[in-house]
Amino acid sequence: MTAVSTESLQGAEGRNGNYPGKGIGAPVGVAVLGMGTVGTEVLRLIHEFSSSLENRIGGPIEVRGVAVSDLTKKRDVLDNFPGITLTDNAHELVEREDVDVVVEVIGGIDYPRELVLSALKHGKSVVTANKALIAAHADEISDAANAAGVDLYYEAAVAAAIPVVGMLRRSLAGDQVQRISGIVNGTTNFILDAMASTGASYEEALAEATRLGYAEADPTADVEGHDAASKAAILASMGFHTRVTYNDVHAEGITNITADDIEAARLAGYTIKLLAICERLVDDEGATTVSARVHPTLVPNEHPLATVDKSYNAVFVEAEAAGRLMFYGNGAGGAPTASAVLGDIVGAARNKIHGGRAPAENPYAHYPVADFGDVPTRYHIDMAVVDRVGVLAEISRRFADQGISISAVRQEEHGDDSRLIVVTHASLERKLAAIVEELKTLDDVRAINSVIRLDG
């Protein structure tokens, strides 16, 4: 049995499990850092639900101050908080004696990291919706929270209102999670769904997503898979009790997906989704590694994730005892994200009133992160080949020489050439990538149109 340090779970000030509360009826001082869409919605909900929140917590929430970058901008929601401090000095706000909980909804990494570490050092519990920050610095921030004996909540960092972080942290705390796969970026799901339902090109679907507000003016973080990769790092860390960072996640986006790819997937009984896939892998010698990756994926139409449309998110979890679980809902937007943030504020505030701490991160397993080349997967390879007798046999032989088994083949006539689609059985990523490079060198292969991985 592996011994787990009490200090690693509770922090230097919590070795005796002594986290006294302020007492029933005491106010909980809250500071909000950032007043964009989410911060504004959080403040609106705090005001609207103030009475019921007080009953749930055991004391009132009192917003002490809000930190913004532009003090001249009119913010109507602040009219509900007369006398509140509006400041551009966030460091000063988080250090105030009358602040118990700091809510960080600024975004970015470096500046929020400074503020969050300062808040924790000064004994404030922290609630953040900042996926990039957690994916990059969860180890440092979690250690700081443990050392100070305070809470760190980040439910809103993954899939907004869908309670996947809490599920992994609490509901499945006694189980062993084997795999997490999900649609965790609404922008890319909207684009792929539009392409599938209307026949639009990627460029046309992106333009529509931008017009409707689903895509940012610069959509790079979404369409290149960076946003989903941050969330995959968090999910893998929580699910496998191992610290996985953004840099550990293999990420590919959807910018190369074409209408032809969508149609080929439909004919084969699949739907293309940008999936975050986190897996516990055990090799033939019994050694365990973990993998986290993001890429366009062919999902069988009968799988629940294939039906997730528009900008919705869904996370599919496979655990040893619980079996298969799926969580579905709005994964982005001001109101859903604010709902998750407010839930975390309630948890942190309740602990300030009644004492105690929420379950902390516990990366006791220390599993190594698998090299992406050693991850098993399947390929759907779409290629243009010379239309002559023997081509299929030659290509099949190349796969056999690499020890890769073919699951299905479809061949179609395309002018003077043929379109050949090969679907493999599971093999290591490095072997599948190598066969694709080998195919490119064959005189009979005119072009590799696309290579898309399969799930299931």
Side-chain angles (χ1 to χ4, degrees), residues 138-149:
D139 51 352
E140 180 184 27
I141 294 170
S142 295
D143 288 348
N146 287 333

Side-chain angles (χ1 to χ4, degrees), residues 381-396 399 409-422 439-449:
I381 306 169
D382 183 343
M383 65 190 103
V385 301
V386 174
D387 187 9
R388 71 168 182 83
V389 175
V391 170
L392 178 56
E394 173 63 17
I395 289 175
S396 298
F399 277 88
V409 175
R410 189 170 84 251
Q411 190 166 1
E412 305 169 357
E413 290 187 5
H414 269 240
D416 295 333
D417 294 332
S418 288
R419 181 183 187 185
L420 184 65
I421 295 175
V422 175
L439 291 173
K440 291 177 181 178
T441 69
L442 301 182
D443 292 338
D444 287 332
V445 176
R446 301 291 197 196
I448 303 292
N449 299 323

Side-chain angles (χ1 to χ4, degrees), residues 115-196:
L115 295 172
V116 166
L117 289 174
S118 177
L120 295 171
K121 178 181 177 182
H122 286 85
K124 324 297 183 182
S125 290
V126 168
V127 172
T128 178
N130 194 331
K131 54 190 170 287
L133 174 65
I134 297 300
H137 296 292
D139 51 352
E140 180 184 27
I141 294 170
S142 295
D143 288 348
N146 287 333
V150 294
D151 286 329
L152 172 64
Y153 283 91
Y154 45 88
E155 182 66 66
V158 181
I162 305 174
V164 292
V165 172
M167 170 270 298
L168 292 170
R169 178 179 277 181
R170 294 184 292 272
S171 303
L172 293 181
D175 209 333
Q176 178 159 287
V177 174
Q178 304 291 4
R179 193 171 194 270
I180 305 167
S181 57
I183 298 163
V184 294
N185 181 273
T187 300
T188 52
N189 201 54
F190 178 90
I191 292 170
L192 293 172
D193 182 56
M195 292 175 69

